[in-house]
Amino acid sequence: MAEFLIAIKYVDPPSLYYHFYEARVRLGSGIDDFSKWVEDALERKELAAKIRNIDPLMHTLEGIREHLSEIVEEEVRKDMEVMPQ
């Protein structure tokens, strides 16, 4: 997840567009590449749902990047929490 967070923060805008906007049409399911990968490969359905809830028509690419970063960063923090013994 930490590597994904870094990628989201530094990926070029055309790549972000391709994986978030264009994938919804390309895959024919209205689902972006990021949430599909998170759900299928990482089996994190709740995180995938949060990503899918970002409305692509209400945000600029940089707004999408900010929302994705916030959501993924929250997940990274959860992963880093140490359970008390």
Side-chain angles (χ1 to χ4, degrees), residues 30-60:
I31 297 173
D32 62 277
D33 288 335
F34 299 131
S35 64
K36 182 161 179 45
W37 174 72
V38 166
E39 185 169 4
D40 295 349
L42 304 179
E43 299 180 349
R44 295 183 183 218
K45 292 182 182 202
E46 188 176 312
L47 176 58
K50 288 179 182 179
I51 293 170
R52 286 185 188 132
N53 283 334
I54 300 171
D55 187 342
L57 302 177
M58 296 300 294
H59 304 285
T60 64

mmCIF file of all heavy atoms in Angstrom, residues 30-60:
data_model
loop_
_atom_site.group_PDB
_atom_site.id
_atom_site.type_symbol
_atom_site.label_atom_id
_atom_site.label_comp_id
_atom_site.label_asym_id
_atom_site.label_seq_id
_atom_site.Cartn_x
_atom_site.Cartn_y
_atom_site.Cartn_z
ATOM 1 N N GLY A 30 -17.712 0.699 -15.670
ATOM 2 C CA GLY A 30 -17.812 1.908 -14.862
ATOM 3 C C GLY A 30 -16.895 1.886 -13.657
ATOM 4 O O GLY A 30 -17.042 2.695 -12.756
ATOM 5 N N ILE A 31 -15.941 0.952 -13.653
ATOM 6 C CA ILE A 31 -15.023 0.797 -12.518
ATOM 7 C C ILE A 31 -13.620 1.188 -12.971
ATOM 8 O O ILE A 31 -13.164 0.787 -14.038
ATOM 9 C CB ILE A 31 -15.031 -0.649 -11.994
ATOM 10 C CG1 ILE A 31 -16.425 -0.995 -11.470
ATOM 11 C CG2 ILE A 31 -13.975 -0.856 -10.922
ATOM 12 C CD1 ILE A 31 -16.597 -2.445 -11.083
ATOM 13 N N ASP A 32 -12.933 1.945 -12.134
ATOM 14 C CA ASP A 32 -11.569 2.372 -12.450
ATOM 15 C C ASP A 32 -10.560 1.254 -12.164
ATOM 16 O O ASP A 32 -10.843 0.318 -11.430
ATOM 17 C CB ASP A 32 -11.218 3.630 -11.649
ATOM 18 C CG ASP A 32 -11.265 3.361 -10.165
ATOM 19 O OD1 ASP A 32 -12.370 3.419 -9.584
ATOM 20 O OD2 ASP A 32 -10.215 3.050 -9.583
ATOM 21 N N ASP A 33 -9.383 1.369 -12.772
ATOM 22 C CA ASP A 33 -8.327 0.366 -12.584
ATOM 23 C C ASP A 33 -7.876 0.261 -11.128
ATOM 24 O O ASP A 33 -7.585 -0.834 -10.637
ATOM 25 C CB ASP A 33 -7.104 0.705 -13.441
ATOM 26 C CG ASP A 33 -7.325 0.464 -14.919
ATOM 27 O OD1 ASP A 33 -8.185 -0.365 -15.278
ATOM 28 O OD2 ASP A 33 -6.616 1.103 -15.726
ATOM 29 N N PHE A 34 -7.801 1.401 -10.438
ATOM 30 C CA PHE A 34 -7.281 1.386 -9.078
ATOM 31 C C PHE A 34 -8.162 0.564 -8.145
ATOM 32 O O PHE A 34 -7.681 -0.312 -7.429
ATOM 33 C CB PHE A 34 -7.134 2.813 -8.530
ATOM 34 C CG PHE A 34 -6.193 3.674 -9.316
ATOM 35 C CD1 PHE A 34 -6.571 4.946 -9.706
ATOM 36 C CD2 PHE A 34 -4.936 3.230 -9.668
ATOM 37 C CE1 PHE A 34 -5.711 5.760 -10.421
ATOM 38 C CE2 PHE A 34 -4.061 4.032 -10.391
ATOM 39 C CZ PHE A 34 -4.454 5.295 -10.767
ATOM 40 N N SER A 35 -9.461 0.859 -8.145
ATOM 41 C CA SER A 35 -10.342 0.132 -7.227
ATOM 42 C C SER A 35 -10.468 -1.337 -7.630
ATOM 43 O O SER A 35 -10.574 -2.208 -6.772
ATOM 44 C CB SER A 35 -11.717 0.789 -7.144
ATOM 45 O OG SER A 35 -12.384 0.753 -8.380
ATOM 46 N N LYS A 36 -10.419 -1.617 -8.920
ATOM 47 C CA LYS A 36 -10.483 -3.012 -9.378
ATOM 48 C C LYS A 36 -9.274 -3.778 -8.875
ATOM 49 O O LYS A 36 -9.396 -4.893 -8.375
ATOM 50 C CB LYS A 36 -10.574 -3.073 -10.897
ATOM 51 C CG LYS A 36 -10.680 -4.487 -11.427
ATOM 52 C CD LYS A 36 -11.206 -4.510 -12.824
ATOM 53 C CE LYS A 36 -11.295 -5.915 -13.408
ATOM 54 N NZ LYS A 36 -11.855 -6.914 -12.545
ATOM 55 N N TRP A 37 -8.096 -3.191 -8.999
ATOM 56 C CA TRP A 37 -6.867 -3.840 -8.538
ATOM 57 C C TRP A 37 -6.885 -4.031 -7.028
ATOM 58 O O TRP A 37 -6.549 -5.111 -6.525
ATOM 59 C CB TRP A 37 -5.656 -2.999 -8.963
ATOM 60 C CG TRP A 37 -4.374 -3.511 -8.415
ATOM 61 C CD1 TRP A 37 -3.708 -4.643 -8.793
ATOM 62 C CD2 TRP A 37 -3.593 -2.914 -7.371
ATOM 63 N NE1 TRP A 37 -2.558 -4.784 -8.046
ATOM 64 C CE2 TRP A 37 -2.471 -3.732 -7.165
ATOM 65 C CE3 TRP A 37 -3.752 -1.770 -6.604
ATOM 66 C CZ2 TRP A 37 -1.497 -3.433 -6.217
ATOM 67 C CZ3 TRP A 37 -2.779 -1.472 -5.673
ATOM 68 C CH2 TRP A 37 -1.673 -2.296 -5.485
ATOM 69 N N VAL A 38 -7.279 -2.995 -6.302
ATOM 70 C CA VAL A 38 -7.325 -3.073 -4.838
ATOM 71 C C VAL A 38 -8.276 -4.184 -4.392
ATOM 72 O O VAL A 38 -7.963 -4.943 -3.475
ATOM 73 C CB VAL A 38 -7.742 -1.709 -4.231
ATOM 74 C CG1 VAL A 38 -8.136 -1.836 -2.778
ATOM 75 C CG2 VAL A 38 -6.615 -0.698 -4.391
ATOM 76 N N GLU A 39 -9.407 -4.291 -5.059
ATOM 77 C CA GLU A 39 -10.383 -5.318 -4.672
ATOM 78 C C GLU A 39 -9.945 -6.718 -5.110
ATOM 79 O O GLU A 39 -9.988 -7.658 -4.314
ATOM 80 C CB GLU A 39 -11.747 -5.010 -5.277
ATOM 81 C CG GLU A 39 -12.817 -5.970 -4.821
ATOM 82 C CD GLU A 39 -14.211 -5.532 -5.196
ATOM 83 O OE1 GLU A 39 -14.375 -4.506 -5.887
ATOM 84 O OE2 GLU A 39 -15.149 -6.222 -4.798
ATOM 85 N N ASP A 40 -9.504 -6.858 -6.354
ATOM 86 C CA ASP A 40 -9.175 -8.183 -6.887
ATOM 87 C C ASP A 40 -7.840 -8.721 -6.387
ATOM 88 O O ASP A 40 -7.752 -9.864 -5.952
ATOM 89 C CB ASP A 40 -9.169 -8.166 -8.420
ATOM 90 C CG ASP A 40 -10.543 -7.899 -9.017
ATOM 91 O OD1 ASP A 40 -11.546 -7.934 -8.261
ATOM 92 O OD2 ASP A 40 -10.610 -7.637 -10.230
ATOM 93 N N ALA A 41 -6.804 -7.906 -6.457
ATOM 94 C CA ALA A 41 -5.460 -8.379 -6.105
ATOM 95 C C ALA A 41 -5.177 -8.325 -4.607
ATOM 96 O O ALA A 41 -4.531 -9.215 -4.068
ATOM 97 C CB ALA A 41 -4.409 -7.571 -6.859
ATOM 98 N N LEU A 42 -5.663 -7.274 -3.952
ATOM 99 C CA LEU A 42 -5.358 -7.096 -2.530
ATOM 100 C C LEU A 42 -6.494 -7.528 -1.612
ATOM 101 O O LEU A 42 -6.322 -7.562 -0.397
ATOM 102 C CB LEU A 42 -5.000 -5.632 -2.248
ATOM 103 C CG LEU A 42 -3.845 -5.058 -3.068
ATOM 104 C CD1 LEU A 42 -3.615 -3.605 -2.693
ATOM 105 C CD2 LEU A 42 -2.585 -5.881 -2.889
ATOM 106 N N GLU A 43 -7.657 -7.801 -2.208
ATOM 107 C CA GLU A 43 -8.837 -8.243 -1.458
ATOM 108 C C GLU A 43 -9.243 -7.254 -0.359
ATOM 109 O O GLU A 43 -9.594 -7.619 0.741
ATOM 110 C CB GLU A 43 -8.631 -9.646 -0.885
ATOM 111 C CG GLU A 43 -8.396 -10.678 -1.959
ATOM 112 C CD GLU A 43 -8.187 -12.074 -1.426
ATOM 113 O OE1 GLU A 43 -8.010 -12.248 -0.199
ATOM 114 O OE2 GLU A 43 -8.176 -12.998 -2.257
ATOM 115 N N ARG A 44 -9.206 -5.975 -0.709
ATOM 116 C CA ARG A 44 -9.594 -4.904 0.210
ATOM 117 C C ARG A 44 -10.842 -4.215 -0.340
ATOM 118 O O ARG A 44 -10.769 -3.155 -0.963
ATOM 119 C CB ARG A 44 -8.458 -3.916 0.404
ATOM 120 C CG ARG A 44 -7.257 -4.544 1.096
ATOM 121 C CD ARG A 44 -6.191 -3.515 1.337
ATOM 122 N NE ARG A 44 -5.019 -4.107 1.937
ATOM 123 C CZ ARG A 44 -4.286 -3.514 2.859
ATOM 124 N NH1 ARG A 44 -4.604 -2.299 3.292
ATOM 125 N NH2 ARG A 44 -3.226 -4.105 3.350
ATOM 126 N N LYS A 45 -11.966 -4.860 -0.118
ATOM 127 C CA LYS A 45 -13.226 -4.386 -0.685
ATOM 128 C C LYS A 45 -13.638 -3.027 -0.142
ATOM 129 O O LYS A 45 -14.165 -2.194 -0.874
ATOM 130 C CB LYS A 45 -14.324 -5.416 -0.444
ATOM 131 C CG LYS A 45 -14.110 -6.667 -1.232
ATOM 132 C CD LYS A 45 -15.218 -7.660 -1.036
ATOM 133 C CE LYS A 45 -14.884 -8.916 -1.827
ATOM 134 N NZ LYS A 45 -16.058 -9.701 -2.115
ATOM 135 N N GLU A 46 -13.405 -2.794 1.136
ATOM 136 C CA GLU A 46 -13.796 -1.515 1.738
ATOM 137 C C GLU A 46 -13.001 -0.363 1.127
ATOM 138 O O GLU A 46 -13.553 0.684 0.800
ATOM 139 C CB GLU A 46 -13.584 -1.568 3.250
ATOM 140 C CG GLU A 46 -14.128 -0.368 3.976
ATOM 141 C CD GLU A 46 -13.979 -0.499 5.484
ATOM 142 O OE1 GLU A 46 -14.322 -1.556 6.035
ATOM 143 O OE2 GLU A 46 -13.507 0.476 6.097
ATOM 144 N N LEU A 47 -11.716 -0.568 0.948
ATOM 145 C CA LEU A 47 -10.867 0.447 0.328
ATOM 146 C C LEU A 47 -11.286 0.667 -1.120
ATOM 147 O O LEU A 47 -11.377 1.810 -1.586
ATOM 148 C CB LEU A 47 -9.394 0.050 0.407
ATOM 149 C CG LEU A 47 -8.397 0.977 -0.280
ATOM 150 C CD1 LEU A 47 -8.475 2.385 0.278
ATOM 151 C CD2 LEU A 47 -6.987 0.414 -0.158
ATOM 152 N N ALA A 48 -11.564 -0.407 -1.840
ATOM 153 C CA ALA A 48 -12.015 -0.291 -3.230
ATOM 154 C C ALA A 48 -13.298 0.529 -3.310
ATOM 155 O O ALA A 48 -13.457 1.374 -4.196
ATOM 156 C CB ALA A 48 -12.221 -1.675 -3.836
ATOM 157 N N ALA A 49 -14.201 0.300 -2.385
ATOM 158 C CA ALA A 49 -15.470 1.046 -2.376
ATOM 159 C C ALA A 49 -15.220 2.532 -2.131
ATOM 160 O O ALA A 49 -15.861 3.385 -2.764
ATOM 161 C CB ALA A 49 -16.401 0.484 -1.308
ATOM 162 N N LYS A 50 -14.294 2.858 -1.250
ATOM 163 C CA LYS A 50 -13.970 4.267 -0.991
ATOM 164 C C LYS A 50 -13.412 4.934 -2.250
ATOM 165 O O LYS A 50 -13.743 6.082 -2.550
ATOM 166 C CB LYS A 50 -12.957 4.386 0.149
ATOM 167 C CG LYS A 50 -13.534 4.087 1.509
ATOM 168 C CD LYS A 50 -12.469 4.211 2.578
ATOM 169 C CE LYS A 50 -13.002 3.878 3.952
ATOM 170 N NZ LYS A 50 -11.963 3.978 4.992
ATOM 171 N N ILE A 51 -12.573 4.214 -2.973
ATOM 172 C CA ILE A 51 -12.001 4.756 -4.209
ATOM 173 C C ILE A 51 -13.107 4.958 -5.238
ATOM 174 O O ILE A 51 -13.168 5.989 -5.907
ATOM 175 C CB ILE A 51 -10.882 3.835 -4.743
ATOM 176 C CG1 ILE A 51 -9.685 3.850 -3.776
ATOM 177 C CG2 ILE A 51 -10.455 4.258 -6.154
ATOM 178 C CD1 ILE A 51 -8.628 2.816 -4.079
ATOM 179 N N ARG A 52 -14.004 3.991 -5.348
ATOM 180 C CA ARG A 52 -15.106 4.097 -6.315
ATOM 181 C C ARG A 52 -16.061 5.231 -5.982
ATOM 182 O O ARG A 52 -16.748 5.741 -6.864
ATOM 183 C CB ARG A 52 -15.875 2.780 -6.379
ATOM 184 C CG ARG A 52 -15.128 1.719 -7.115
ATOM 185 C CD ARG A 52 -15.927 0.459 -7.289
ATOM 186 N NE ARG A 52 -15.039 -0.546 -7.848
ATOM 187 C CZ ARG A 52 -14.921 -1.777 -7.385
ATOM 188 N NH1 ARG A 52 -15.660 -2.190 -6.376
ATOM 189 N NH2 ARG A 52 -14.066 -2.608 -7.938
ATOM 190 N N ASN A 53 -16.113 5.611 -4.735
ATOM 191 C CA ASN A 53 -17.011 6.687 -4.326
ATOM 192 C C ASN A 53 -16.503 8.076 -4.709
ATOM 193 O O ASN A 53 -17.230 9.052 -4.570
ATOM 194 C CB ASN A 53 -17.278 6.627 -2.822
ATOM 195 C CG ASN A 53 -18.274 5.545 -2.479
ATOM 196 O OD1 ASN A 53 -19.109 5.155 -3.296
ATOM 197 N ND2 ASN A 53 -18.196 5.040 -1.262
ATOM 198 N N ILE A 54 -15.283 8.170 -5.169
ATOM 199 C CA ILE A 54 -14.771 9.456 -5.646
ATOM 200 C C ILE A 54 -15.464 9.740 -6.979
ATOM 201 O O ILE A 54 -15.329 8.978 -7.931
ATOM 202 C CB ILE A 54 -13.243 9.424 -5.839
ATOM 203 C CG1 ILE A 54 -12.542 9.103 -4.524
ATOM 204 C CG2 ILE A 54 -12.755 10.757 -6.406
ATOM 205 C CD1 ILE A 54 -11.048 8.836 -4.686
ATOM 206 N N ASP A 55 -16.198 10.824 -7.039
ATOM 207 C CA ASP A 55 -16.956 11.161 -8.244
ATOM 208 C C ASP A 55 -16.016 11.796 -9.271
ATOM 209 O O ASP A 55 -15.505 12.900 -9.061
ATOM 210 C CB ASP A 55 -18.081 12.130 -7.889
ATOM 211 C CG ASP A 55 -19.019 12.415 -9.041
ATOM 212 O OD1 ASP A 55 -18.645 12.151 -10.202
ATOM 213 O OD2 ASP A 55 -20.125 12.895 -8.780
ATOM 214 N N PRO A 56 -15.799 11.118 -10.389
ATOM 215 C CA PRO A 56 -14.855 11.633 -11.384
ATOM 216 C C PRO A 56 -15.330 12.902 -12.082
ATOM 217 O O PRO A 56 -14.520 13.616 -12.661
ATOM 218 C CB PRO A 56 -14.740 10.475 -12.388
ATOM 219 C CG PRO A 56 -16.011 9.727 -12.246
ATOM 220 C CD PRO A 56 -16.411 9.862 -10.798
ATOM 221 N N LEU A 57 -16.608 13.193 -12.003
ATOM 222 C CA LEU A 57 -17.127 14.381 -12.674
ATOM 223 C C LEU A 57 -17.104 15.621 -11.790
ATOM 224 O O LEU A 57 -17.359 16.721 -12.261
ATOM 225 C CB LEU A 57 -18.552 14.121 -13.167
ATOM 226 C CG LEU A 57 -18.700 12.947 -14.133
ATOM 227 C CD1 LEU A 57 -20.155 12.737 -14.491
ATOM 228 C CD2 LEU A 57 -17.847 13.143 -15.372
ATOM 229 N N MET A 58 -16.796 15.434 -10.528
ATOM 230 C CA MET A 58 -16.822 16.549 -9.582
ATOM 231 C C MET A 58 -15.434 17.070 -9.219
ATOM 232 O O MET A 58 -15.318 18.001 -8.441
ATOM 233 C CB MET A 58 -17.547 16.126 -8.300
ATOM 234 C CG MET A 58 -19.011 15.783 -8.501
ATOM 235 S SD MET A 58 -19.987 17.139 -9.162
ATOM 236 C CE MET A 58 -19.901 18.295 -7.820
ATOM 237 N N HIS A 59 -14.382 16.436 -9.763
ATOM 238 C CA HIS A 59 -13.024 16.802 -9.361
ATOM 239 C C HIS A 59 -12.103 16.926 -10.571
ATOM 240 O O HIS A 59 -12.275 16.230 -11.558
ATOM 241 C CB HIS A 59 -12.450 15.743 -8.414
ATOM 242 C CG HIS A 59 -13.292 15.513 -7.205
ATOM 243 N ND1 HIS A 59 -13.347 16.389 -6.154
ATOM 244 C CD2 HIS A 59 -14.137 14.499 -6.893
ATOM 245 C CE1 HIS A 59 -14.184 15.923 -5.238
ATOM 246 N NE2 HIS A 59 -14.676 14.778 -5.658
ATOM 247 N N THR A 60 -11.119 17.772 -10.435
ATOM 248 C CA THR A 60 -10.042 17.839 -11.420
ATOM 249 C C THR A 60 -9.144 16.629 -11.211
ATOM 250 O O THR A 60 -9.282 15.906 -10.223
ATOM 251 C CB THR A 60 -9.202 19.110 -11.220
ATOM 252 O OG1 THR A 60 -8.572 19.034 -9.927
ATOM 253 C CG2 THR A 60 -10.048 20.369 -11.331
#
